Amino acid sequence: KAFQNALEIRERLARAEPDRVDYQRDLSVSYNKMGDLYRDLGQGEAARKAFQNALEIAERLARAEPDRADYQRDLSISYNKMGDLYRDLGQVEAAHDAYKKDLEIAERLTRAEPDRADYQWDLVVSLVRFADPALLGRALTILRTLDDAGSLNPDQRDLITRLEDQLARKS
């Protein structure tokens, strides 16, 4: 109910002042939150619509200001969420396409600001989505570097062990 109320408020604000990019960005975030909720409830079509709305706004903002890293990151997250939904719905090709777009943005952001741990983490998440041993190995290398720098929280650190186990099974 709270997410729905927030979405309704943000829709009204965005309609009232469509040129306010902060309202548009907030609306995109609300659509993503609703999409997450719908996906968790098993409402695939409602989740797809919410994620698609978020993606359309993120694409528009990223096109309008391609040098804004926050808009690029929002777009990356939207592609990742669409990919997860497509994967859950068994639409493997669509999931792969969304993940590929997400990965391209994550790599670009990481190259532009290699010292940003959050961008490195986003890249790890993007690499893991492909389940390719070479990409998993690359993700593991990034995680170990982040861990050595003290930049991982305990949940993130657990991914190191999971990737090590996964790669050991694949070899």
Side-chain angles (χ1 to χ4, degrees):
K1 183 79 173 142
F3 286 153
Q4 185 63 44
N5 288 341
L7 176 62
E8 290 169 4
I9 291 167
R10 288 176 169 169
E11 284 176 330
R12 277 194 307 274
L13 290 170
R15 270 194 311 272
E17 296 186 59
D19 294 332
R20 291 269 314 255
V21 294
D22 57 331
Y23 289 173
Q24 295 297 318
R25 186 170 188 228
D26 289 347
L27 180 57
S28 178
V29 169
S30 283
Y31 280 130
N32 272 330
K33 288 182 185 290
M34 288 301 298
D36 288 337
L37 179 63
Y38 288 136
R39 186 182 64 222
D40 291 347
L41 293 172
Q43 298 176 18
E45 183 55 27
R48 188 196 62 73
K49 286 178 183 177
F51 286 144
Q52 187 63 44
N53 287 337
L55 178 60
E56 288 170 5
I57 294 168
E59 286 175 330
R60 190 170 57 248
L61 293 175
R63 262 193 321 274
E65 295 190 56
D67 294 332
R68 291 263 322 243
D70 55 339
Y71 291 170
Q72 295 299 317
R73 187 167 189 243
D74 289 348
L75 181 57
S76 175
I77 290 168
S78 285
Y79 282 130
N80 191 300
K81 289 181 178 293
M82 288 297 294
D84 287 349
L85 179 66
Y86 287 138
R87 181 197 61 215
D88 293 349
L89 296 174
Q91 298 174 10
V92 177
E93 189 173 320
H96 184 270
D97 290 345
Y99 288 149
K100 185 176 176 190
K101 290 175 183 176
D102 164 46
L103 179 59
E104 289 168 358
I105 295 168
E107 286 180 324
R108 194 169 52 247
L109 290 172
T110 301
R111 276 192 308 273
E113 295 189 57
D115 294 331
R116 293 265 315 248
D118 56 338
Y119 290 173
Q120 294 289 334
W121 174 255
D122 289 348
L123 179 57
V124 165
V125 169
S126 298
L127 292 166
V128 168
R129 292 294 193 260
F130 285 93
D132 174 272
L135 297 179
L136 293 177
R138 186 172 163 210
L140 184 57
T141 299
I142 294 167
L143 283 171
R144 288 178 175 148
T145 301
L146 290 171
D147 193 36
D148 290 345
S151 298
L152 293 180
N153 67 44
D155 290 338
Q156 292 171 322
R157 195 172 297 116
D158 289 344
L159 184 56
I160 293 173
T161 304
R162 291 197 315 264
L163 286 178
E164 288 171 339
D165 292 346
Q166 192 173 355
L167 287 168
R169 285 192 307 273
K170 290 189 181 225
S171 58

